[in-house]
Amino acid sequence: QKEVEQDPGPLSVPEGAIVSLNCTYSNSAFQYFMWYRQYSRKGPELLMYTYSSGNKEDGRFTAQVDKSSKYISLFIRDSQPSDSATYLCAMNNDYKLSFGAGTTVTVRA
Amino acid sequence: DARVTQTPRHKVTEMGQEVTMRCQPILGHNTVFWYRQTMMQGLELLAYFRNRAPLDDSGMPKDRFSAEMPDATLATLKIQPSEPRDSAVYFCASDDFRGAGELFFGEGSRLTVL
């Protein structure tokens, strides 16, 4: 079993919909929880990160961490075609990141 | 515009050939990572360096892969001899060790071994 589990999708939604992504993990030592976005044929770029449990909001993006359930989520409100990408969750332990498999999202215009 | 630069962007080679990939981290970043991405395995950490010293290369096949950082502006990943199963996208990433895992990735080197 992998340390970080993420449903690869794909996920297809109409423009304006709320996109909900999530990951589960098994290592209780993880402290930082991140979401990276990767466009086709590009490198991942950091979208948001959260330390420990709680919520964090940045514009249309909201990240949630529930350490008691070992579950993290990313919500994208008012999704746009430009949000079409693969979203990877990541968590660190001793400075080494463990990545989820990535969920591919398509926002239809 | 600070960014991680990787070369080559694409490489097609035949089995048994040596492949060298290069990475220029962002100036001032003291930690450099090499990742491999495939459809089956996702992103896998191969090795990483801090202040040019190798800290962990446990993700790397030791018999054919080697990673070095000859100076602060250059990291290299070498495969010798290459095999078809090495076909993947290899990413270099760097950060300034603030602890949060805010990695800056290059655009990757897409390797195809025939």
Side-chain angles (χ1 to χ4, degrees), chain A residues 2 32 34 36 38 41-44 46 49 88 92 94-97 99, chain B residues 31 33 37 48 50 56 91 95 97 99-103 105-107 110:
Chain A
K2 291 187 176 181
Y32 287 93
M34 285 139 280
Y36 281 79
Q38 185 175 20
R41 296 187 175 268
K42 297 290 187 181
L46 181 68
Y49 79 88
L88 303 106
N92 75 344
D94 292 333
Y95 204 66
K96 291 196 298 185
L97 286 186
F99 281 89
Chain B
T31 308
F33 301 81
Q37 187 175 41
Y48 79 99
R50 179 162 303 127
D56 189 338
F91 287 103
D95 86 354
F97 190 42
E102 299 174 70
L103 303 189
F105 282 81
E107 297 210 318
R110 183 174 296 270

PDB file of all heavy atoms in Angstrom, chain A residues 2 32 34 36 38 41-44 46 49 88 92 94-97 99, chain B residues 31 33 37 48 50 56 91 95 97 99-103 105-107 110:
ATOM      1  N   LYS A   2       0.541   2.206  -0.860  1.00  0.00           N
ATOM      2  CA  LYS A   2       1.323   3.424  -0.945  1.00  0.00           C
ATOM      3  C   LYS A   2       1.036   4.309   0.260  1.00  0.00           C
ATOM      4  O   LYS A   2      -0.042   4.268   0.852  1.00  0.00           O
ATOM      5  CB  LYS A   2       0.967   4.165  -2.239  1.00  0.00           C
ATOM      6  CG  LYS A   2       1.440   3.455  -3.493  1.00  0.00           C
ATOM      7  CD  LYS A   2       1.211   4.313  -4.724  1.00  0.00           C
ATOM      8  CE  LYS A   2       1.782   3.641  -5.959  1.00  0.00           C
ATOM      9  NZ  LYS A   2       1.608   4.466  -7.170  1.00  0.00           N
ATOM     10  N   TYR A  32       3.525  18.800   6.639  1.00  0.00           N
ATOM     11  CA  TYR A  32       3.158  19.770   5.612  1.00  0.00           C
ATOM     12  C   TYR A  32       2.396  19.041   4.507  1.00  0.00           C
ATOM     13  O   TYR A  32       2.793  17.959   4.075  1.00  0.00           O
ATOM     14  CB  TYR A  32       4.408  20.434   5.018  1.00  0.00           C
ATOM     15  CG  TYR A  32       5.063  21.425   5.940  1.00  0.00           C
ATOM     16  CD1 TYR A  32       6.094  21.040   6.784  1.00  0.00           C
ATOM     17  CD2 TYR A  32       4.647  22.748   5.972  1.00  0.00           C
ATOM     18  CE1 TYR A  32       6.703  21.940   7.639  1.00  0.00           C
ATOM     19  CE2 TYR A  32       5.252  23.667   6.828  1.00  0.00           C
ATOM     20  CZ  TYR A  32       6.274  23.250   7.654  1.00  0.00           C
ATOM     21  OH  TYR A  32       6.867  24.153   8.495  1.00  0.00           O
ATOM     22  N   MET A  34       0.620  19.591   0.722  1.00  0.00           N
ATOM     23  CA  MET A  34       0.698  20.464  -0.432  1.00  0.00           C
ATOM     24  C   MET A  34      -0.161  19.982  -1.595  1.00  0.00           C
ATOM     25  O   MET A  34      -0.470  18.790  -1.691  1.00  0.00           O
ATOM     26  CB  MET A  34       2.152  20.538  -0.932  1.00  0.00           C
ATOM     27  CG  MET A  34       3.032  21.381  -0.056  1.00  0.00           C
ATOM     28  SD  MET A  34       4.642  20.611   0.148  1.00  0.00           S
ATOM     29  CE  MET A  34       4.275  19.404   1.403  1.00  0.00           C
ATOM     30  N   TYR A  36       0.051  20.387  -5.771  1.00  0.00           N
ATOM     31  CA  TYR A  36       0.770  20.856  -6.951  1.00  0.00           C
ATOM     32  C   TYR A  36      -0.154  20.713  -8.159  1.00  0.00           C
ATOM     33  O   TYR A  36      -0.965  19.786  -8.238  1.00  0.00           O
ATOM     34  CB  TYR A  36       2.035  20.018  -7.190  1.00  0.00           C
ATOM     35  CG  TYR A  36       3.198  20.382  -6.297  1.00  0.00           C
ATOM     36  CD1 TYR A  36       3.270  19.933  -4.984  1.00  0.00           C
ATOM     37  CD2 TYR A  36       4.228  21.179  -6.775  1.00  0.00           C
ATOM     38  CE1 TYR A  36       4.335  20.265  -4.168  1.00  0.00           C
ATOM     39  CE2 TYR A  36       5.312  21.519  -5.966  1.00  0.00           C
ATOM     40  CZ  TYR A  36       5.349  21.063  -4.667  1.00  0.00           C
ATOM     41  OH  TYR A  36       6.405  21.401  -3.860  1.00  0.00           O
ATOM     42  N   GLN A  38      -0.084  20.401 -12.368  1.00  0.00           N
ATOM     43  CA  GLN A  38       0.807  20.083 -13.472  1.00  0.00           C
ATOM     44  C   GLN A  38       0.042  20.152 -14.783  1.00  0.00           C
ATOM     45  O   GLN A  38      -0.866  19.348 -15.031  1.00  0.00           O
ATOM     46  CB  GLN A  38       1.427  18.686 -13.294  1.00  0.00           C
ATOM     47  CG  GLN A  38       2.461  18.336 -14.349  1.00  0.00           C
ATOM     48  CD  GLN A  38       3.146  17.003 -14.093  1.00  0.00           C
ATOM     49  OE1 GLN A  38       2.638  16.149 -13.364  1.00  0.00           O
ATOM     50  NE2 GLN A  38       4.314  16.805 -14.677  1.00  0.00           N
ATOM     51  N   ARG A  41       2.777  18.273 -20.187  1.00  0.00           N
ATOM     52  CA  ARG A  41       4.153  18.417 -20.657  1.00  0.00           C
ATOM     53  C   ARG A  41       4.910  19.542 -19.942  1.00  0.00           C
ATOM     54  O   ARG A  41       5.834  20.146 -20.506  1.00  0.00           O
ATOM     55  CB  ARG A  41       4.212  18.593 -22.170  1.00  0.00           C
ATOM     56  CG  ARG A  41       3.704  17.363 -22.890  1.00  0.00           C
ATOM     57  CD  ARG A  41       3.904  17.420 -24.380  1.00  0.00           C
ATOM     58  NE  ARG A  41       3.506  16.153 -24.987  1.00  0.00           N
ATOM     59  CZ  ARG A  41       4.342  15.139 -25.214  1.00  0.00           C
ATOM     60  NH1 ARG A  41       5.622  15.256 -24.908  1.00  0.00           N
ATOM     61  NH2 ARG A  41       3.911  14.023 -25.750  1.00  0.00           N
ATOM     62  N   LYS A  42       4.490  19.826 -18.721  1.00  0.00           N
ATOM     63  CA  LYS A  42       5.183  20.814 -17.896  1.00  0.00           C
ATOM     64  C   LYS A  42       5.540  20.184 -16.558  1.00  0.00           C
ATOM     65  O   LYS A  42       5.080  19.084 -16.229  1.00  0.00           O
ATOM     66  CB  LYS A  42       4.272  22.031 -17.645  1.00  0.00           C
ATOM     67  CG  LYS A  42       3.877  22.791 -18.891  1.00  0.00           C
ATOM     68  CD  LYS A  42       5.055  23.521 -19.488  1.00  0.00           C
ATOM     69  CE  LYS A  42       4.605  24.414 -20.632  1.00  0.00           C
ATOM     70  NZ  LYS A  42       5.759  25.112 -21.250  1.00  0.00           N
ATOM     71  N   GLY A  43       6.377  20.873 -15.783  1.00  0.00           N
ATOM     72  CA  GLY A  43       6.684  20.400 -14.448  1.00  0.00           C
ATOM     73  C   GLY A  43       5.597  20.810 -13.462  1.00  0.00           C
ATOM     74  O   GLY A  43       4.848  21.755 -13.698  1.00  0.00           O
ATOM     75  N   PRO A  44       5.480  20.079 -12.361  1.00  0.00           N
ATOM     76  CA  PRO A  44       4.503  20.474 -11.334  1.00  0.00           C
ATOM     77  C   PRO A  44       4.859  21.847 -10.755  1.00  0.00           C
ATOM     78  O   PRO A  44       6.037  22.199 -10.645  1.00  0.00           O
ATOM     79  CB  PRO A  44       4.646  19.376 -10.270  1.00  0.00           C
ATOM     80  CG  PRO A  44       5.307  18.229 -10.960  1.00  0.00           C
ATOM     81  CD  PRO A  44       6.191  18.840 -11.996  1.00  0.00           C
ATOM     82  N   LEU A  46       3.776  24.455  -7.381  1.00  0.00           N
ATOM     83  CA  LEU A  46       3.075  24.473  -6.108  1.00  0.00           C
ATOM     84  C   LEU A  46       1.864  25.395  -6.177  1.00  0.00           C
ATOM     85  O   LEU A  46       1.967  26.549  -6.583  1.00  0.00           O
ATOM     86  CB  LEU A  46       4.015  24.944  -4.998  1.00  0.00           C
ATOM     87  CG  LEU A  46       3.403  24.988  -3.607  1.00  0.00           C
ATOM     88  CD1 LEU A  46       3.099  23.558  -3.126  1.00  0.00           C
ATOM     89  CD2 LEU A  46       4.346  25.676  -2.626  1.00  0.00           C
ATOM     90  N   TYR A  49      -0.018  25.197   0.174  1.00  0.00           N
ATOM     91  CA  TYR A  49       0.416  24.268   1.193  1.00  0.00           C
ATOM     92  C   TYR A  49      -0.190  24.656   2.537  1.00  0.00           C
ATOM     93  O   TYR A  49      -0.512  25.807   2.787  1.00  0.00           O
ATOM     94  CB  TYR A  49       1.937  24.169   1.279  1.00  0.00           C
ATOM     95  CG  TYR A  49       2.629  25.276   2.025  1.00  0.00           C
ATOM     96  CD1 TYR A  49       2.820  25.206   3.402  1.00  0.00           C
ATOM     97  CD2 TYR A  49       3.147  26.373   1.338  1.00  0.00           C
ATOM     98  CE1 TYR A  49       3.478  26.210   4.078  1.00  0.00           C
ATOM     99  CE2 TYR A  49       3.805  27.385   2.001  1.00  0.00           C
ATOM    100  CZ  TYR A  49       3.980  27.304   3.371  1.00  0.00           C
ATOM    101  OH  TYR A  49       4.637  28.300   4.030  1.00  0.00           O
ATOM    102  N   LEU A  88      -1.738  17.118  -8.059  1.00  0.00           N
ATOM    103  CA  LEU A  88      -1.044  16.129  -7.239  1.00  0.00           C
ATOM    104  C   LEU A  88      -0.998  16.600  -5.795  1.00  0.00           C
ATOM    105  O   LEU A  88      -0.593  17.730  -5.518  1.00  0.00           O
ATOM    106  CB  LEU A  88       0.394  15.913  -7.723  1.00  0.00           C
ATOM    107  CG  LEU A  88       0.603  15.481  -9.159  1.00  0.00           C
ATOM    108  CD1 LEU A  88       1.117  16.612 -10.015  1.00  0.00           C
ATOM    109  CD2 LEU A  88       1.601  14.322  -9.218  1.00  0.00           C
ATOM    110  N   ASN A  92       5.146  15.881   3.321  1.00  0.00           N
ATOM    111  CA  ASN A  92       6.562  15.651   3.576  1.00  0.00           C
ATOM    112  C   ASN A  92       6.809  15.040   4.935  1.00  0.00           C
ATOM    113  O   ASN A  92       6.083  15.218   5.896  1.00  0.00           O
ATOM    114  CB  ASN A  92       7.393  16.921   3.375  1.00  0.00           C
ATOM    115  CG  ASN A  92       7.233  17.910   4.498  1.00  0.00           C
ATOM    116  OD1 ASN A  92       6.308  17.817   5.280  1.00  0.00           O
ATOM    117  ND2 ASN A  92       8.130  18.861   4.560  1.00  0.00           N
ATOM    118  N   ASP A  94      10.479  14.232   7.030  1.00  0.00           N
ATOM    119  CA  ASP A  94      11.935  14.373   6.979  1.00  0.00           C
ATOM    120  C   ASP A  94      12.407  14.998   5.685  1.00  0.00           C
ATOM    121  O   ASP A  94      13.402  14.583   5.117  1.00  0.00           O
ATOM    122  CB  ASP A  94      12.610  13.007   7.153  1.00  0.00           C
ATOM    123  CG  ASP A  94      12.407  12.472   8.559  1.00  0.00           C
ATOM    124  OD1 ASP A  94      12.231  13.281   9.484  1.00  0.00           O
ATOM    125  OD2 ASP A  94      12.413  11.250   8.720  1.00  0.00           O
ATOM    126  N   TYR A  95      11.647  15.935   5.215  1.00  0.00           N
ATOM    127  CA  TYR A  95      11.986  16.740   4.059  1.00  0.00           C
ATOM    128  C   TYR A  95      11.858  16.013   2.728  1.00  0.00           C
ATOM    129  O   TYR A  95      12.133  16.575   1.681  1.00  0.00           O
ATOM    130  CB  TYR A  95      13.407  17.323   4.179  1.00  0.00           C
ATOM    131  CG  TYR A  95      13.572  18.569   3.341  1.00  0.00           C
ATOM    132  CD1 TYR A  95      12.875  19.713   3.659  1.00  0.00           C
ATOM    133  CD2 TYR A  95      14.392  18.596   2.230  1.00  0.00           C
ATOM    134  CE1 TYR A  95      12.986  20.845   2.900  1.00  0.00           C
ATOM    135  CE2 TYR A  95      14.527  19.724   1.456  1.00  0.00           C
ATOM    136  CZ  TYR A  95      13.822  20.856   1.799  1.00  0.00           C
ATOM    137  OH  TYR A  95      13.932  21.986   1.042  1.00  0.00           O
ATOM    138  N   LYS A  96      11.436  14.744   2.739  1.00  0.00           N
ATOM    139  CA  LYS A  96      11.207  14.065   1.475  1.00  0.00           C
ATOM    140  C   LYS A  96       9.711  14.077   1.190  1.00  0.00           C
ATOM    141  O   LYS A  96       8.921  13.635   2.011  1.00  0.00           O
ATOM    142  CB  LYS A  96      11.702  12.625   1.539  1.00  0.00           C
ATOM    143  CG  LYS A  96      13.213  12.521   1.609  1.00  0.00           C
ATOM    144  CD  LYS A  96      13.714  11.130   1.281  1.00  0.00           C
ATOM    145  CE  LYS A  96      13.232  10.077   2.214  1.00  0.00           C
ATOM    146  NZ  LYS A  96      13.836   8.756   1.922  1.00  0.00           N
ATOM    147  N   LEU A  97       9.363  14.571   0.008  1.00  0.00           N
ATOM    148  CA  LEU A  97       7.946  14.632  -0.358  1.00  0.00           C
ATOM    149  C   LEU A  97       7.464  13.280  -0.863  1.00  0.00           C
ATOM    150  O   LEU A  97       8.147  12.624  -1.639  1.00  0.00           O
ATOM    151  CB  LEU A  97       7.716  15.677  -1.444  1.00  0.00           C
ATOM    152  CG  LEU A  97       7.760  17.148  -1.066  1.00  0.00           C
ATOM    153  CD1 LEU A  97       7.359  18.000  -2.258  1.00  0.00           C
ATOM    154  CD2 LEU A  97       6.854  17.440   0.107  1.00  0.00           C
ATOM    155  N   PHE A  99       4.344  11.923  -3.056  1.00  0.00           N
ATOM    156  CA  PHE A  99       3.312  12.432  -3.952  1.00  0.00           C
ATOM    157  C   PHE A  99       2.210  11.409  -4.155  1.00  0.00           C
ATOM    158  O   PHE A  99       2.460  10.195  -4.192  1.00  0.00           O
ATOM    159  CB  PHE A  99       3.910  12.762  -5.324  1.00  0.00           C
ATOM    160  CG  PHE A  99       4.650  14.065  -5.380  1.00  0.00           C
ATOM    161  CD1 PHE A  99       6.010  14.117  -5.080  1.00  0.00           C
ATOM    162  CD2 PHE A  99       4.003  15.232  -5.735  1.00  0.00           C
ATOM    163  CE1 PHE A  99       6.699  15.316  -5.128  1.00  0.00           C
ATOM    164  CE2 PHE A  99       4.693  16.441  -5.797  1.00  0.00           C
ATOM    165  CZ  PHE A  99       6.034  16.479  -5.484  1.00  0.00           C
TER     166      PHE A  99
ATOM    167  N   THR B  31      19.058  23.123  -2.142  1.00  0.00           N
ATOM    168  CA  THR B  31      18.607  21.725  -2.154  1.00  0.00           C
ATOM    169  C   THR B  31      18.092  21.377  -3.544  1.00  0.00           C
ATOM    170  O   THR B  31      17.280  22.120  -4.114  1.00  0.00           O
ATOM    171  CB  THR B  31      17.510  21.496  -1.109  1.00  0.00           C
ATOM    172  OG1 THR B  31      17.959  21.988   0.158  1.00  0.00           O
ATOM    173  CG2 THR B  31      17.197  20.018  -0.965  1.00  0.00           C
ATOM    174  N   PHE B  33      16.644  18.190  -6.114  1.00  0.00           N
ATOM    175  CA  PHE B  33      16.019  16.868  -6.163  1.00  0.00           C
ATOM    176  C   PHE B  33      15.986  16.376  -7.601  1.00  0.00           C
ATOM    177  O   PHE B  33      15.791  17.155  -8.531  1.00  0.00           O
ATOM    178  CB  PHE B  33      14.571  16.944  -5.666  1.00  0.00           C
ATOM    179  CG  PHE B  33      14.404  17.454  -4.263  1.00  0.00           C
ATOM    180  CD1 PHE B  33      14.429  18.817  -4.002  1.00  0.00           C
ATOM    181  CD2 PHE B  33      14.194  16.580  -3.212  1.00  0.00           C
ATOM    182  CE1 PHE B  33      14.263  19.302  -2.708  1.00  0.00           C
ATOM    183  CE2 PHE B  33      14.013  17.047  -1.916  1.00  0.00           C
ATOM    184  CZ  PHE B  33      14.054  18.412  -1.664  1.00  0.00           C
ATOM    185  N   GLN B  37       9.036  10.511 -13.421  1.00  0.00           N
ATOM    186  CA  GLN B  37       7.577  10.403 -13.512  1.00  0.00           C
ATOM    187  C   GLN B  37       7.195   9.451 -14.630  1.00  0.00           C
ATOM    188  O   GLN B  37       7.595   9.616 -15.783  1.00  0.00           O
ATOM    189  CB  GLN B  37       6.931  11.770 -13.742  1.00  0.00           C
ATOM    190  CG  GLN B  37       5.404  11.736 -13.665  1.00  0.00           C
ATOM    191  CD  GLN B  37       4.798  13.121 -13.778  1.00  0.00           C
ATOM    192  OE1 GLN B  37       5.216  13.948 -14.572  1.00  0.00           O
ATOM    193  NE2 GLN B  37       3.778  13.403 -12.944  1.00  0.00           N
ATOM    194  N   TYR B  48      18.510  13.299  -3.742  1.00  0.00           N
ATOM    195  CA  TYR B  48      18.544  14.721  -3.505  1.00  0.00           C
ATOM    196  C   TYR B  48      19.820  15.159  -2.801  1.00  0.00           C
ATOM    197  O   TYR B  48      20.482  14.359  -2.148  1.00  0.00           O
ATOM    198  CB  TYR B  48      17.288  15.230  -2.809  1.00  0.00           C
ATOM    199  CG  TYR B  48      17.153  15.041  -1.315  1.00  0.00           C
ATOM    200  CD1 TYR B  48      17.453  16.075  -0.433  1.00  0.00           C
ATOM    201  CD2 TYR B  48      16.642  13.863  -0.799  1.00  0.00           C
ATOM    202  CE1 TYR B  48      17.268  15.925   0.927  1.00  0.00           C
ATOM    203  CE2 TYR B  48      16.454  13.706   0.561  1.00  0.00           C
ATOM    204  CZ  TYR B  48      16.751  14.735   1.419  1.00  0.00           C
ATOM    205  OH  TYR B  48      16.559  14.601   2.770  1.00  0.00           O
ATOM    206  N   ARG B  50      21.881  18.468  -0.711  1.00  0.00           N
ATOM    207  CA  ARG B  50      21.816  19.749   0.003  1.00  0.00           C
ATOM    208  C   ARG B  50      23.229  20.288   0.092  1.00  0.00           C
ATOM    209  O   ARG B  50      24.146  19.573   0.504  1.00  0.00           O
ATOM    210  CB  ARG B  50      21.208  19.610   1.389  1.00  0.00           C
ATOM    211  CG  ARG B  50      21.161  20.953   2.142  1.00  0.00           C
ATOM    212  CD  ARG B  50      20.205  20.951   3.304  1.00  0.00           C
ATOM    213  NE  ARG B  50      18.874  20.611   2.851  1.00  0.00           N
ATOM    214  CZ  ARG B  50      18.125  19.634   3.390  1.00  0.00           C
ATOM    215  NH1 ARG B  50      18.583  18.941   4.417  1.00  0.00           N
ATOM    216  NH2 ARG B  50      16.944  19.383   2.912  1.00  0.00           N
ATOM    217  N   ASP B  56      20.397  11.563  -0.002  1.00  0.00           N
ATOM    218  CA  ASP B  56      19.602  10.349  -0.135  1.00  0.00           C
ATOM    219  C   ASP B  56      19.529   9.977  -1.607  1.00  0.00           C
ATOM    220  O   ASP B  56      19.083  10.771  -2.419  1.00  0.00           O
ATOM    221  CB  ASP B  56      18.186  10.585   0.414  1.00  0.00           C
ATOM    222  CG  ASP B  56      17.372   9.304   0.515  1.00  0.00           C
ATOM    223  OD1 ASP B  56      17.686   8.322  -0.176  1.00  0.00           O
ATOM    224  OD2 ASP B  56      16.407   9.291   1.308  1.00  0.00           O
ATOM    225  N   PHE B  91      12.502  14.850 -13.785  1.00  0.00           N
ATOM    226  CA  PHE B  91      12.379  16.232 -13.321  1.00  0.00           C
ATOM    227  C   PHE B  91      13.462  16.548 -12.298  1.00  0.00           C
ATOM    228  O   PHE B  91      13.773  15.741 -11.422  1.00  0.00           O
ATOM    229  CB  PHE B  91      11.017  16.469 -12.657  1.00  0.00           C
ATOM    230  CG  PHE B  91       9.867  16.537 -13.609  1.00  0.00           C
ATOM    231  CD1 PHE B  91       9.003  15.467 -13.751  1.00  0.00           C
ATOM    232  CD2 PHE B  91       9.638  17.685 -14.361  1.00  0.00           C
ATOM    233  CE1 PHE B  91       7.932  15.523 -14.628  1.00  0.00           C
ATOM    234  CE2 PHE B  91       8.575  17.753 -15.240  1.00  0.00           C
ATOM    235  CZ  PHE B  91       7.720  16.674 -15.378  1.00  0.00           C
ATOM    236  N   ASP B  95      14.863  23.905  -4.010  1.00  0.00           N
ATOM    237  CA  ASP B  95      14.242  24.818  -3.063  1.00  0.00           C
ATOM    238  C   ASP B  95      15.292  25.357  -2.110  1.00  0.00           C
ATOM    239  O   ASP B  95      16.462  24.979  -2.167  1.00  0.00           O
ATOM    240  CB  ASP B  95      13.038  24.183  -2.373  1.00  0.00           C
ATOM    241  CG  ASP B  95      13.390  23.367  -1.146  1.00  0.00           C
ATOM    242  OD1 ASP B  95      14.582  23.176  -0.848  1.00  0.00           O
ATOM    243  OD2 ASP B  95      12.452  22.900  -0.473  1.00  0.00           O
ATOM    244  N   PHE B  97      15.167  25.210   1.216  1.00  0.00           N
ATOM    245  CA  PHE B  97      15.177  24.541   2.512  1.00  0.00           C
ATOM    246  C   PHE B  97      14.478  25.364   3.593  1.00  0.00           C
ATOM    247  O   PHE B  97      15.025  25.600   4.672  1.00  0.00           O
ATOM    248  CB  PHE B  97      16.599  24.199   2.945  1.00  0.00           C
ATOM    249  CG  PHE B  97      16.662  23.300   4.165  1.00  0.00           C
ATOM    250  CD1 PHE B  97      15.808  22.230   4.291  1.00  0.00           C
ATOM    251  CD2 PHE B  97      17.580  23.535   5.182  1.00  0.00           C
ATOM    252  CE1 PHE B  97      15.849  21.395   5.397  1.00  0.00           C
ATOM    253  CE2 PHE B  97      17.632  22.711   6.298  1.00  0.00           C
ATOM    254  CZ  PHE B  97      16.779  21.645   6.404  1.00  0.00           C
ATOM    255  N   GLY B  99      11.656  24.198   4.616  1.00  0.00           N
ATOM    256  CA  GLY B  99      11.011  23.144   5.388  1.00  0.00           C
ATOM    257  C   GLY B  99       9.610  22.766   4.953  1.00  0.00           C
ATOM    258  O   GLY B  99       9.099  21.739   5.364  1.00  0.00           O
ATOM    259  N   ALA B 100       8.977  23.587   4.115  1.00  0.00           N
ATOM    260  CA  ALA B 100       7.592  23.307   3.778  1.00  0.00           C
ATOM    261  C   ALA B 100       7.449  22.444   2.532  1.00  0.00           C
ATOM    262  O   ALA B 100       6.341  22.073   2.188  1.00  0.00           O
ATOM    263  CB  ALA B 100       6.825  24.612   3.589  1.00  0.00           C
ATOM    264  N   GLY B 101       8.549  22.132   1.880  1.00  0.00           N
ATOM    265  CA  GLY B 101       8.445  21.324   0.670  1.00  0.00           C
ATOM    266  C   GLY B 101       7.983  22.114  -0.528  1.00  0.00           C
ATOM    267  O   GLY B 101       7.314  21.576  -1.406  1.00  0.00           O
ATOM    268  N   GLU B 102       8.333  23.394  -0.590  1.00  0.00           N
ATOM    269  CA  GLU B 102       7.929  24.220  -1.722  1.00  0.00           C
ATOM    270  C   GLU B 102       8.955  24.070  -2.827  1.00  0.00           C
ATOM    271  O   GLU B 102       9.856  24.870  -2.996  1.00  0.00           O
ATOM    272  CB  GLU B 102       7.837  25.674  -1.293  1.00  0.00           C
ATOM    273  CG  GLU B 102       6.817  25.911  -0.196  1.00  0.00           C
ATOM    274  CD  GLU B 102       6.873  27.339   0.305  1.00  0.00           C
ATOM    275  OE1 GLU B 102       6.469  28.245  -0.437  1.00  0.00           O
ATOM    276  OE2 GLU B 102       7.342  27.537   1.437  1.00  0.00           O
ATOM    277  N   LEU B 103       8.796  23.019  -3.580  1.00  0.00           N
ATOM    278  CA  LEU B 103       9.753  22.724  -4.631  1.00  0.00           C
ATOM    279  C   LEU B 103       9.419  23.480  -5.910  1.00  0.00           C
ATOM    280  O   LEU B 103       8.255  23.655  -6.261  1.00  0.00           O
ATOM    281  CB  LEU B 103       9.754  21.228  -4.944  1.00  0.00           C
ATOM    282  CG  LEU B 103      10.048  20.273  -3.789  1.00  0.00           C
ATOM    283  CD1 LEU B 103      10.226  18.854  -4.315  1.00  0.00           C
ATOM    284  CD2 LEU B 103      11.268  20.710  -3.019  1.00  0.00           C
ATOM    285  N   PHE B 105       9.994  23.071  -9.810  1.00  0.00           N
ATOM    286  CA  PHE B 105      10.357  22.041 -10.774  1.00  0.00           C
ATOM    287  C   PHE B 105      10.772  22.656 -12.099  1.00  0.00           C
ATOM    288  O   PHE B 105      10.243  23.683 -12.528  1.00  0.00           O
ATOM    289  CB  PHE B 105       9.166  21.113 -11.031  1.00  0.00           C
ATOM    290  CG  PHE B 105       8.918  20.097  -9.956  1.00  0.00           C
ATOM    291  CD1 PHE B 105       8.230  20.440  -8.803  1.00  0.00           C
ATOM    292  CD2 PHE B 105       9.361  18.789 -10.105  1.00  0.00           C
ATOM    293  CE1 PHE B 105       7.993  19.504  -7.814  1.00  0.00           C
ATOM    294  CE2 PHE B 105       9.121  17.842  -9.117  1.00  0.00           C
ATOM    295  CZ  PHE B 105       8.440  18.195  -7.969  1.00  0.00           C
ATOM    296  N   GLY B 106      11.696  21.967 -12.761  1.00  0.00           N
ATOM    297  CA  GLY B 106      11.989  22.283 -14.139  1.00  0.00           C
ATOM    298  C   GLY B 106      10.921  21.689 -15.045  1.00  0.00           C
ATOM    299  O   GLY B 106       9.958  21.078 -14.568  1.00  0.00           O
ATOM    300  N   GLU B 107      11.093  21.853 -16.351  1.00  0.00           N
ATOM    301  CA  GLU B 107      10.086  21.365 -17.294  1.00  0.00           C
ATOM    302  C   GLU B 107      10.303  19.902 -17.653  1.00  0.00           C
ATOM    303  O   GLU B 107       9.489  19.318 -18.360  1.00  0.00           O
ATOM    304  CB  GLU B 107      10.063  22.239 -18.539  1.00  0.00           C
ATOM    305  CG  GLU B 107       9.658  23.680 -18.235  1.00  0.00           C
ATOM    306  CD  GLU B 107       8.945  24.339 -19.384  1.00  0.00           C
ATOM    307  OE1 GLU B 107       9.384  24.137 -20.528  1.00  0.00           O
ATOM    308  OE2 GLU B 107       7.965  25.077 -19.135  1.00  0.00           O
ATOM    309  N   ARG B 110      12.361  14.437 -21.189  1.00  0.00           N
ATOM    310  CA  ARG B 110      11.575  13.259 -21.607  1.00  0.00           C
ATOM    311  C   ARG B 110      12.513  12.284 -22.300  1.00  0.00           C
ATOM    312  O   ARG B 110      13.025  12.572 -23.374  1.00  0.00           O
ATOM    313  CB  ARG B 110      10.438  13.683 -22.529  1.00  0.00           C
ATOM    314  CG  ARG B 110       9.516  12.549 -22.954  1.00  0.00           C
ATOM    315  CD  ARG B 110       8.333  13.095 -23.744  1.00  0.00           C
ATOM    316  NE  ARG B 110       7.507  13.962 -22.919  1.00  0.00           N
ATOM    317  CZ  ARG B 110       6.483  13.542 -22.181  1.00  0.00           C
ATOM    318  NH1 ARG B 110       6.150  12.266 -22.176  1.00  0.00           N
ATOM    319  NH2 ARG B 110       5.786  14.388 -21.469  1.00  0.00           N
TER     320      ARG B 110
END
